[in-house]
Amino acid sequence: MKEQELRELQNTLSWPEKIGQLIQLSGDFFQSEALAVGPKQKLGIDQDTVNLVGSVLNLTGAEATNHIQENYLANSRHKVPLLFMADIIYGYRTIFPIPLGLGATWNPALIKQAYQVIAAESRSAGAHVTFAPMVDLVRDARWGRCLESTGEDPHLNADYAKVMVEGLQGENLEGIASCVKHFAAYGAAEAGREYNTVDMSERRLRQDYLTGYKAAIDAGCKLVMTSFNTYDGMPATGNDFLLKDILRKEWGFDGVIISDYAAIQELVAHGVAADEREATQLAIEATTDIDMKTSCYAKQLEPLIKDGMISSKLVDDAVWRVLKLKNNLGLFEDPYRGASKENEEMNLLSDKNRALSRKVAAESVVLLQNKNNVLPLTPNQDKILLVGPYGDKQDLIGLWAVHGKTTDVTTLKEVLEKKLTSESFKFTQGCDMLDDYSFLGEFGATAEQIDSIGLSESQRESALAEALKLGEVADVIIFAMGEHTMQSGEAGSRTDITLPKIQQDFMNQMIELGKKKILISISGRPLVYTKEVNQMDAILQAWFPGTEGANAIVDLLFGDTNPSGRLSMSFPHNVGQLPIYYNEFKTGRPLTSKTHKGRFISKYLDSPNQPLFPFGYGLSYSEVLYNNLKLSSSEMTEKLIATISISNQSDRDCLETVQLYIQDVTGSVVRPVKELKKYKKVSLKAKETKTVSFELAREDLYYYKRDMSFNVESGAFIVFVGPNSEEVLESQFELI
Ligand code: BGC
């Protein structure tokens, strides 16, 4: 539709029709009128309101969306189609690894392909908008939503944000519209506790936390979701500074801002609005366009206009942004956008999509430890025993794969059974996932259901006895352990981030057998492996690896794929170190202090400062040597080239992620000890040596100076290059 026509259409809408465009309700409101009675009562709205609602939350499937759209349009006076928005975070039906795993690929080009697949699947299933990417930078593994983030680094996060948006939307929105979230700084919730306060300087906000959202906006992302947290005392959903000053004015974003789930109403609980009327006013004045899942806008906007409390233009502008989005998606021409059963059948879980998911999963897994090169294994050489709650479990897709199906997943046991002879492979579960499943009650499980989960006391005893018996005759024991799906994701904050105790107790007993031990760990966050690094020969961090996770893991175990994943988030020694991240600011008394000794330096009395596994870390089956770091000049005015030689010592091909960090030695404000600026994932043939070069430009060194201008001062810079943020070679130059 032409813009002029759209304007005319908007002018024909009544206030209730306009306001309807700004309301989002979930799928249950769109069932038959009789079935929707409960949800309507709960929200205190009537069918007339539902009939005017502009968008639907988390309802997908071509049959359902087409049916609802058809009915809606048939009964609508204005014929403005519904928008279907859903949480399609790391896969629609073909599930990829959780974003923390995607972060560990250090391969944005590959991740773009994954998001193209996600868009194609989602579009055929009737989704128009996805609430992705989630780009909240996170430095505290207690926060359960680490799962959804690509990690702790502003630069890497921004790279992923860009390709995710590009992959989802396509060049001309032939994919689905992307909604970046949660604006802003949601990942910095104090003490890693979900929905908690965020408070930080504007400098840190801009330097570290905003880069991901900005990259998504620059990539053309169509929507932004507000976050649940406060920033500088004001909840994001009513925060003028974040939404108006930064997002709208500075960044020029004229797309749709949607509140997070019930976040407008929560302005009352936050204590910045006395009631829903005030909450509505704060939110609309901050230019929050759509109210997700409350009746605030439905009930309060019109009276606010009538009473002269807000200008009608505020609402008209919001409506215009929503209509524009619908128009950009082509909904006025085709309200179904090609969603159909046939297209679903063609797209969902195709062999091609599965193959890509397997490749991405293999690149996401991080080999944390490999003593005496216990890995890779040789098929049918050793007697392998697979144990643990994830050994034969289909739930490898994690909490936020809401449209995925665990039944599509092949388990580790099934893959290994296919690959190996029955003499060389045995499986027994050996231990339960958790001691106690009662916390599932919070997620709606009944007492009866909780009782039926897991093993009874006597089953636990016999499971252990069986594992010990089979372990006696095995050469290698593979432990498939990890967090329960419900222990990460939204509202999955934890203060103990070790493997569940029952699993640890089991491993303690099994290691007494003295066999080779390999830990495959499934988790939605960095875990503390201080004990396991001593117990285990090898540790593979496998995240929730997705539909093809088990195949990918087995590819890695046997060396069909050489591990190449690198951590995008530090793994702490202990929870007391949190938050922990490599790019911390310099202190006056660093560990390396020359002026202060012993006690009076910045350190713990009972823990190292460094994490157990640093940012950027990950092993492969190839030893790669780094030599000869050279800078094209000892001075930089505009550009400089850094080169390094990397040499594969092994007989296998590998993928090596070369990382370049800088340190601004003296700034007008304190600067981080290291900052990632460049990286390349380089393929090396067996025994091959390559020279890798990076171009560093003046703009790469920009930061928010003392006066908050984004620029750089002349002076000394250190360049570090290496396989991770700690093991680096260094050189220095002077910026002129
Ligand atoms: C989450 C969002 C999500 C929304 C809609 C909220 O609870 O914070 O990430 O997009 O629900 O499901």
Side-chain angles (χ1 to χ4, degrees):
M1 191 183 281
K2 296 222 177 67
E3 204 167 299
Q4 183 57 29
E5 289 171 66
L6 197 62
R7 284 277 180 206
E8 281 161 18
L9 172 66
Q10 176 162 355
N11 290 340
T12 67
L13 300 184
S14 64
W15 277 118
E17 284 173 337
K18 284 181 180 174
I19 290 167
Q21 294 301 313
L22 311 183
I23 303 167
Q24 176 160 108
L25 295 177
S26 49
D28 43 353
F29 287 84
F30 296 86
Q31 314 165 84
S32 70
E33 280 195 34
L35 283 173
V37 167
K40 280 185 293 188
Q41 271 175 357
K42 213 166 145 205
L43 227 51
I45 55 171
D46 57 20
Q47 189 58 37
D48 290 344
T49 305
V50 177
N51 290 343
L52 293 179
V53 155
S55 62
V56 186
L57 169 66
N58 274 339
L59 185 130
T60 60
E63 203 175 340
T65 54
N66 288 356
H67 175 70
I68 290 173
Q69 186 76 287
E70 199 180 340
N71 268 348
Y72 179 87
L73 289 174
N75 296 315
S76 143
R77 186 192 69 86
H78 56 54
K79 309 284 178 225
V80 178
L82 276 170
L83 257 183
F84 290 94
M85 306 201 194
D87 287 291
I88 305 163
I89 314 294
Y90 50 96
Y92 180 72
R93 180 72 181 271
T94 307
I95 305 300
F96 291 88
I98 57 169
L100 196 54
L102 300 179
T105 64
W106 289 62
N107 193 344
L110 180 67
I111 300 314
K112 182 167 175 175
Q113 289 175 33
Y115 277 77
Q116 282 164 341
V117 162
I118 294 172
E121 288 198 357
S122 307
R123 183 172 173 169
S124 61
H128 303 146
V129 173
T130 173
F131 299 125
M134 184 278 214
V135 300
D136 305 325
L137 185 133
V138 55
R139 293 165 164 177
D140 193 327
R142 287 173 295 186
W143 195 47
R145 297 192 90 163
C146 292
L147 174 151
E148 288 173 61
S149 166
T150 48
E152 75 186 34
D153 186 64
H155 182 79
L156 198 57
N157 276 10
D159 284 356
Y160 286 123
K162 174 177 186 288
V163 294
M164 286 173 175
V165 172
E166 289 172 351
L168 287 168
Q169 296 195 157
E171 258 170 49
N172 298 309
L173 210 53
E174 59 275 8
I176 59 173
S178 153
C179 174
V180 69
K181 69 189 187 186
H182 307 81
F183 194 74
Y186 182 34
E190 278 179 10
R193 201 185 75 213
E194 186 65 291
Y195 314 131
N196 203 7
T197 305
V198 171
D199 208 359
M200 66 175 74
S201 68
E202 184 183 336
R203 191 183 314 280
R204 170 169 275 194
L205 176 78
R206 289 180 180 275
Q207 187 87 39
D208 297 341
Y209 283 85
L210 292 188
T211 60
Y213 314 106
K214 177 68 164 53
I217 303 296
D218 289 346
C221 147
K222 296 285 175 206
L223 301 93
V224 173
M225 186 187 290
T226 66
S227 55
F228 285 130
N229 58 278
T230 55
Y231 171 73
D232 192 16
M234 193 64 192
T237 307
N239 192 315
D240 280 353
F241 172 66
L242 291 178
L243 302 186
K244 282 169 73 178
D245 296 351
I246 294 186
L247 188 56
R248 298 278 191 210
K249 286 196 200 119
E250 233 182 88
W251 296 357
F253 178 69
D254 66 353
V256 172
I257 301 181
I258 183 167
S259 78
D260 200 347
Y261 200 103
I264 296 180
Q265 200 172 49
E266 286 172 20
L267 295 173
V268 178
H270 268 115
V272 292
D275 50 28
E276 292 187 2
R277 179 177 161 100
E278 279 188 24
T280 300
Q281 184 168 356
L282 279 176
I284 195 78
E285 282 178 345
T287 73
T288 303
D289 300 318
I290 298 184
D291 175 2
M292 186 195 289
K293 212 45 198 21
T294 79
S295 56
C296 288
Y297 276 15
K299 291 182 186 155
Q300 307 297 341
L301 276 178
E302 206 177 342
L304 280 169
I305 299 172
K306 294 231 159 92
D307 297 348
M309 296 299 289
I310 57 169
S311 91
S312 58
K313 181 164 184 315
L314 272 180
V315 177
D316 265 322
D317 288 350
V319 175
W320 176 242
R321 287 188 284 264
V322 175
L323 291 181
K324 247 185 357 186
L325 173 64
K326 292 184 174 184
N327 196 31
N328 284 338
L329 282 161
L331 288 175
F332 291 101
E333 287 74 29
D334 174 9
Y336 308 102
R337 291 196 96 226
S340 69
K341 268 225 145 314
E342 298 72 50
N343 281 344
E344 280 183 337
E345 259 157 45
M346 212 165 65
N347 270 306
L348 305 193
L349 210 68
S350 66
D351 290 350
K352 210 171 95 242
N353 295 0
R354 272 191 184 267
L356 185 66
S357 170
R358 182 170 180 165
K359 182 171 161 56
V360 175
E363 288 203 27
S364 77
V365 173
V366 184
L367 179 64
L368 293 176
Q369 174 162 294
N370 194 17
K371 288 186 199 158
N372 306 317
N373 294 328
V374 61
L375 288 177
L377 302 168
T378 307
N380 301 323
Q381 181 176 293
D382 296 312
K383 287 204 166 88
I384 295 174
L385 172 64
L386 173 70
V387 293
Y390 276 109
D392 194 24
K393 200 168 172 62
Q394 288 186 301
D395 197 353
L396 297 178
I397 61 175
L399 190 66
W400 225 181
V402 271
H403 312 281
K405 292 195 162 73
T406 52
T407 46
D408 295 333
V409 177
T410 321
T411 69
L412 278 167
K413 168 182 169 259
E414 287 161 355
V415 178
L416 286 165
E417 258 169 2
K418 263 206 190 138
K419 186 168 181 88
L420 304 172
T421 62
S422 55
E423 293 80 59
S424 55
F425 175 68
K426 295 277 179 288
F427 165 75
T428 186
Q429 186 178 321
C431 84
D432 218 338
M433 176 79 76
L434 297 176
D435 275 314
D436 178 7
Y437 293 88
S438 55
F439 81 108
L440 294 176
E442 288 191 356
F443 298 92
T446 62
E448 232 181 10
Q449 283 165 336
I450 290 169
D451 280 348
S452 67
I453 307 171
L455 307 177
S456 67
E457 213 36 66
S458 68
Q459 283 170 329
R460 283 182 182 179
E461 275 169 31
S462 50
L464 172 64
E466 173 76 0
L468 287 168
K469 194 175 95 201
L470 290 171
E472 284 285 357
V473 291
D475 303 309
V476 178
I477 305 178
I478 300 179
F479 295 88
M481 317 305 260
E483 290 185 303
H484 188 281
T485 303
M486 290 295 190
Q487 289 181 309
S488 62
E490 183 171 351
S493 295
R494 295 171 66 198
T495 58
D496 176 356
I497 54 169
T498 54
L499 285 168
K501 178 155 182 323
I502 194 165
Q503 299 183 30
Q504 289 190 43
D505 291 346
F506 172 71
M507 289 191 288
N508 290 345
Q509 308 219 34
M510 293 295 285
I511 60 162
E512 293 299 322
L513 298 171
K515 306 302 169 93
K516 290 182 188 161
K517 298 154 297 265
I518 294 158
L519 171 63
I520 296 169
S521 184
I522 306 292
S523 72
R525 55 155 59 77
L527 294 179
V528 164
Y529 294 128
T530 323
K531 198 161 116 197
E532 290 76 14
V533 287
N534 294 319
Q535 289 183 328
M536 295 289 151
D537 295 299
I539 303 179
L540 274 172
Q541 175 61 42
W543 319 110
F544 284 94
T547 313
E548 286 293 317
N551 276 312
I553 291 170
V554 173
D555 289 343
L556 295 165
L557 285 175
F558 290 91
D560 300 320
T561 310
N562 199 348
S564 66
R566 299 284 172 86
L567 299 178
S568 61
M569 200 174 163
S570 308
F571 274 45
H573 264 276
N574 53 65
V575 81
Q577 289 181 311
L578 299 176
I580 191 168
Y581 46 96
Y582 83 95
N583 43 359
E584 59 186 11
F585 290 122
K586 293 182 191 172
T587 69
R589 297 185 182 189
L591 261 184
T592 50
S593 172
K594 297 203 176 65
T595 48
H596 294 80
K597 286 233 152 30
R599 186 179 179 98
F600 298 102
I601 54 179
S602 176
K603 65 168 191 184
Y604 300 104
L605 293 177
D606 57 355
S607 160
N609 280 10
Q610 295 309 110
L612 186 59
F613 297 111
F615 176 79
Y617 177 83
L619 303 173
S620 72
Y621 299 143
S622 305
E623 190 196 357
V624 176
L625 297 184
Y626 284 62
N627 278 306
N628 221 0
L629 170 62
K630 280 197 198 135
L631 302 184
S632 55
S633 166
S634 59
E635 291 182 347
M636 181 206 270
T637 43
E638 290 306 323
K639 283 194 165 67
L640 179 144
I641 310 283
T643 53
I644 190 145
S645 148
I646 54 167
S647 162
N648 180 358
Q649 305 294 295
S650 76
D651 293 327
R652 290 169 189 270
D653 300 355
C654 70
L655 281 172
E656 178 68 15
T657 301
V658 186
Q659 302 161 32
L660 181 147
Y661 300 82
I662 61 131
Q663 185 195 106
D664 183 352
V665 179
T666 311
S668 56
V669 291
V670 174
R671 308 288 297 118
V673 292
K674 267 182 204 137
E675 293 173 273
L676 180 74
K677 290 294 172 188
K678 305 276 163 183
Y679 55 92
K680 275 187 189 162
K681 198 161 186 174
V682 182
S683 62
L684 284 175
K685 295 251 168 267
K687 301 286 182 199
E688 190 184 12
T689 298
K690 271 187 182 164
T691 300
V692 180
S693 63
F694 296 102
E695 186 180 277
L696 206 56
R698 191 175 188 90
E699 295 76 57
D700 292 323
L701 311 175
Y702 278 21
Y703 76 104
Y704 290 91
K705 297 196 311 188
R706 182 117 181 246
D707 62 1
M708 285 306 279
S709 63
F710 190 60
N711 212 301
V712 65
E713 294 116 353
S714 53
F717 283 80
I718 306 176
V719 175
F720 309 89
V721 181
N724 60 61
S725 60
E726 280 184 9
E727 296 168 89
V728 285
L729 301 177
E730 57 178 88
S731 187
Q732 201 159 336
F733 69 89
E734 199 74 17
L735 183 76
I736 307 293

